[in-house]
Amino acid sequence: MENVRNDSRKLTGFLAHLLKMVLNKIMSLTGSTRLGDLPVGSRAVVAEVQCDRGVRRRLLELGVLPGTSVEVMRRAPLGDPIELSLRGYRLSIRGDEAHGIVVRDVVAEDARVASPVGATSPE
Amino acid sequence: MSAAPALAPTPRVHLVGNPNAGKTTLFNALAGTRARTGNYPGVTVERRAATWRIGERSKHSEIELVDLPGTYSLSARSPEEQIAVDALLRDRPSVVVVVLDATSLQRSLYLALQVRETGLPTVVALNMMDEARASGIAIDEAAIGGALGATVVPIVASRGEGIDALARAVSDAIDAEVAPAPKITHDAATEADLRAVEEVAARTLDVTGDAARAWASWALLSVGAGDELRDVPAALRAIAEERQTKAEQQGRDLDLALVAARYAFLDRLTSTSVREARPARTLTDRIDAILVHPVLGFVAFALVMYVVFETLFSWSDPAIGLIEDGVGWAQGLARGGMSEGPFRDLLVDGVLAGVGNVIVFVPQIGLLFLLISFLEDSGYLARVAFVIDRVMKAVGLHGKAFVPLLSGFACAVPAVMATRTIASHKDRLVTMLALPLMSCSARLPVYVLVTGTVFAGESRIAGIFSVGAVVLLSMYSLSVVATLAAAAVLRRTAVRGPRPTLVLELPPYRMPLVRNLLGTTWERVRAFLVDAGTIILALTIVLWALLSFPKSDEVAVAHEAQRIEARAELEGDALDERLAVIDASEAGQQLEHSAAGRLGKAIEPAIEPLGMDWRMGVGVIGAFAAREVFVSTLGIVFGIGDDADEESTSLREQLRDARRRDGSKLMTPLSGVALMVFFVLACQCMSTLAVVKRESGSWKWPILMFVYMTVLAYVVTLGVFQIGSALGWGTG
């Protein structure tokens, strides 16, 4: 039983990895991926913060740094702003700022649910 | 530092922390709710201080505790943000207490690290430890304290847990030798930049060691094009800018390097000393699934906003009525108990009326702040901003501007005070300056009087709506459009600044503490009474004097003669009736003779093109006390007594029959609409001006507000009346 579970985990993990690579490939063809483009539920790692200096400095000091992993939790009912989860807290920023944040290693919502990391979540 | 004098000065402890970290709760737990509040000079930020009686726990029996504004960082671009750094690096308190939310240490330790970099003795209060434990977060306090060089005390401020230990830690820190600032590793180029700036900081600000270093990293992160920082030595600014430019030319990202070095230090620390369980679906997530749901979220939003609106618009009415009755009773008592004369009038119509004008706002301010504090402390206010920000963004406002704007429909005074929840100084100013255009409830009596006078007929538009209702709705629509347009224009002119943004923490939902709600509410009410109240009282007395003096002996003698005549001819009810008519006529003629009456006549040439005459002018001057006073002032001018209200048929008839000097009708549908448009746009309210002075900390902004609104009202009303007249609309 344990073996079967492990194998299926490995398989889903592999599939997730594959999906991620394909996704990243597509993204790299269309240019850099922006946090603002990610669907709700996606996770990614911040690669670059390219906003105006004032906002940029605030975001950096709030821990939105290259290397920080963020999750897009939800969009406001009117589509903007968005809610992010990072460093154990929730931050809301507008789409304008979210489009200034370049991300990498995107894990889409579907892949995450199937991935070993997501599997520990009760959802 | 010189040797300690025999009588040691009271130690000063500064409290810093992120917003939502429970700083106010801790402040109240330490010093009680008796904070002394005042403004930092020249900015809109309030300074709270109190005496902390630390008692037997320490040899320092009393400590001066200062609550600094909530912040995520010491870096600054505006004078408001600069308060925190000045309070630490210039004031140099004995100890700094940093309040952190233990459930989000990965972010909040950033501020603690910055504070420690200043080299000041620091105690870290890890608040909300109960929540942290419940969600399975394990914290190695000793390791964090060791790395930062600070004592770390776990507390639960809302329940008073850990307060004794915190007091001991603070007391010990006052006397202990301060630990050196933590060593943060920078790359060689950044290190060179820091050294260069540090040298200039040491020279220009007369500091050494850690303080000079802290100033250097502060300057490199804060100084820059468009900053509005104050008292930064020119040489320090120059070297910081020079180093920034150089880094840019070399393709180095200095801002990132400085911030990332701190986070690298902290991430290393938290990776070993903070263990976080992978959070399950939290209570906050479950609540948010409803409260910010695409559909249900709007229902919840509408419900909460309905409650805010009703609170101001109708639920505070009984208390307002009680106050008005009370003031009326006191006025009656004074009138009956004193002999007739100017001193009695001063007391009754000046001082008592002025006190009434002030305390009549207390129910609305009190109830609104109870509600806003509840929404803010529970975490929902941030969601209000989240839900409605898209709409506010369209006009260059912040999501948090919504509640103040909505409150503006009831009354601008509590609404202006409600802008306090907006963190950004400029966003707050724009909201404050635009919201008096929202059609407040005091304008309603003016609309009712005018529509009742000029649109009294039964004609209906499309067979359903009465003309009056449509006109009323148009006035409300005009007020909303004007408010939003004014905000957009102000953003681009008088309150220009960086593109407004929303970077907003959505804190976990928490149950607010009743003590905090009452404390905050009382602080706001007291601030209003003390600062704005005195201005309103003084202006009421000035206005009373303008409307009362000088008096004409001729008028008085003539009316006295009429009274003698009436007493000789009539008796009983007929006599009383006749005397009331004589009184009203005398009041009207005396008002015409008064300074306000003369002023009304003096401005007549200016307001004639708006469709008004001097009597309207006097009404407009009287309405400065509060817009609804327009109605009773007109009552006096038209000689029907000072108790006329907007439903008064005699006042309506008088207005309908009133003629201009050229014999044309004063009140036509067109001049009625023009008058209402004027009241929508004009800044006819001294209380609003007083409260804007209080909240913006200077006379500059209320003056700007008065000027722009008056000009706007004049120009638009002129356009309406002149174009309407030229086209022959509603002139008959």
Side-chain angles (χ1 to χ4, degrees), chain B residues 453-512:
Chain B
T453 303
V454 298
F455 298 112
E458 290 299 306
S459 66
R460 287 176 181 267
I461 292 175
I464 323 168
F465 309 108
S466 71
V467 178
V470 172
V471 169
L472 210 59
L473 189 67
S474 314
M475 292 306 137
Y476 275 89
S477 313
L478 171 66
S479 82
V480 173
V481 171
T483 306
L484 300 182
V489 171
L490 285 166
R491 246 295 169 208
R492 283 163 185 79
T493 52
V495 199
R496 226 188 343 254
R499 198 167 53 84
T501 54
L502 176 95
V503 178
L504 178 71
E505 185 188 358
L506 298 175
Y509 288 106
R510 291 184 174 122
M511 187 46 89

Side-chain angles (χ1 to χ4, degrees), chain B residues 47-117:
Chain B
R47 184 181 196 277
R48 301 173 79 238
T51 306
W52 174 15
R53 287 180 216 296
I54 196 165
E56 292 135 33
R57 290 174 287 216
S58 152
K59 65 176 185 196
H60 308 282
S61 58
E62 279 191 357
I63 282 172
E64 169 79 358
L65 188 67
V66 179
D67 189 13
L68 298 184
T71 182
Y72 293 101
S73 157
L74 297 184
S75 314
R77 290 183 74 76
S78 66
E80 284 72 27
E81 293 172 322
Q82 207 183 341
I83 288 170
V85 74
D86 283 348
L88 299 188
L89 282 169
R90 288 188 209 261
D91 291 358
R92 302 210 66 85
S94 323
V95 173
V96 185
V97 174
V98 188
V99 194
L100 302 183
D101 177 351
T103 66
S104 61
L105 279 185
Q106 279 191 51
R107 181 208 67 224
S108 55
L109 274 171
Y110 184 86
L111 180 65
L113 177 59
Q114 266 189 320
V115 169
R116 263 314 283 137
E117 283 175 50

Side-chain angles (χ1 to χ4, degrees), chain A residues 53 56 61 89 92 94, chain B residues 73 110 253 255 263 389 504:
Chain A
R53 188 179 175 223
R56 181 171 190 269
E61 296 203 288
Y89 79 104
S92 169
R94 286 180 179 163
Chain B
S73 157
Y110 184 86
D253 189 340
D255 282 347
Y263 268 107
D389 182 71
L504 178 71

Side-chain angles (χ1 to χ4, degrees), chain B residues 629-647:
Chain B
V629 175
F630 179 72
V631 177
S632 56
T633 312
L634 277 191
I636 300 173
V637 179
F638 280 97
I640 55 170
D642 58 359
D643 50 359
D645 66 13
E646 64 272 21
E647 307 286 351

Side-chain angles (χ1 to χ4, degrees), chain B residues 128-302:
Chain B
M128 301 174 186
M129 277 305 290
D130 50 343
E131 272 180 52
R133 283 188 208 109
S135 50
I137 299 172
I139 301 164
D140 184 346
E141 290 128 24
I144 293 175
L148 291 177
T151 319
V152 177
V153 185
I155 64 166
V156 183
S158 58
R159 295 206 298 255
E161 281 176 35
I163 300 302
D164 285 345
L166 185 67
R168 267 194 305 279
V170 169
S171 171
D172 291 347
I174 293 171
D175 304 315
E177 183 129 332
V178 59
K183 206 85 222 112
I184 297 167
T185 330
H186 293 283
D187 60 81
T190 311
E191 183 64 36
D193 292 331
L194 278 167
R195 288 248 167 92
V197 181
E198 192 179 328
E199 213 170 277
V200 178
R203 185 156 46 76
T204 52
L205 289 159
D206 191 25
V207 285
T208 52
D210 291 337
R213 181 76 168 192
W215 271 119
S217 67
W218 180 85
L220 282 172
L221 264 179
S222 302
V223 167
D227 79 52
E228 290 163 34
L229 303 170
R230 300 191 297 199
D231 304 329
V232 179
L236 181 62
R237 179 180 282 281
I239 183 79
E241 279 171 357
E242 181 196 317
R243 285 284 159 167
Q244 287 167 346
T245 315
K246 202 170 139 200
E248 205 171 317
Q249 284 162 356
Q250 294 168 345
R252 289 190 291 123
D253 189 340
L254 195 54
D255 282 347
L256 176 62
L258 289 164
V259 177
R262 284 186 183 132
Y263 268 107
F265 176 94
L266 293 174
D267 287 348
R268 249 193 329 275
L269 175 62
T270 51
S271 67
T272 55
S273 59
V274 180
R275 204 183 63 240
E276 283 178 42
R278 176 140 183 86
R281 208 166 116 92
T282 60
L283 178 65
T284 293
D285 280 324
R286 284 200 294 271
I287 297 174
D288 268 344
I290 299 165
L291 291 187
V292 291
H293 183 274
V295 179
L296 294 177
F298 271 115
V299 177
F301 179 84

Side-chain angles (χ1 to χ4, degrees), chain B residues 604 608 611-613 615 638 654-668 671 721 725 730-732:
Chain B
E604 193 171 42
E608 229 169 4
M612 302 186 207
D613 73 349
R615 290 169 290 193
F638 280 97
Q654 285 278 0
L655 280 171
R656 259 179 237 134
D657 295 341
R659 301 277 156 178
R660 296 173 201 282
R661 283 191 218 286
D662 62 8
S664 64
K665 278 179 83 172
L666 174 63
M667 292 303 288
T668 62
S671 70
F721 189 75
S725 301
T731 46

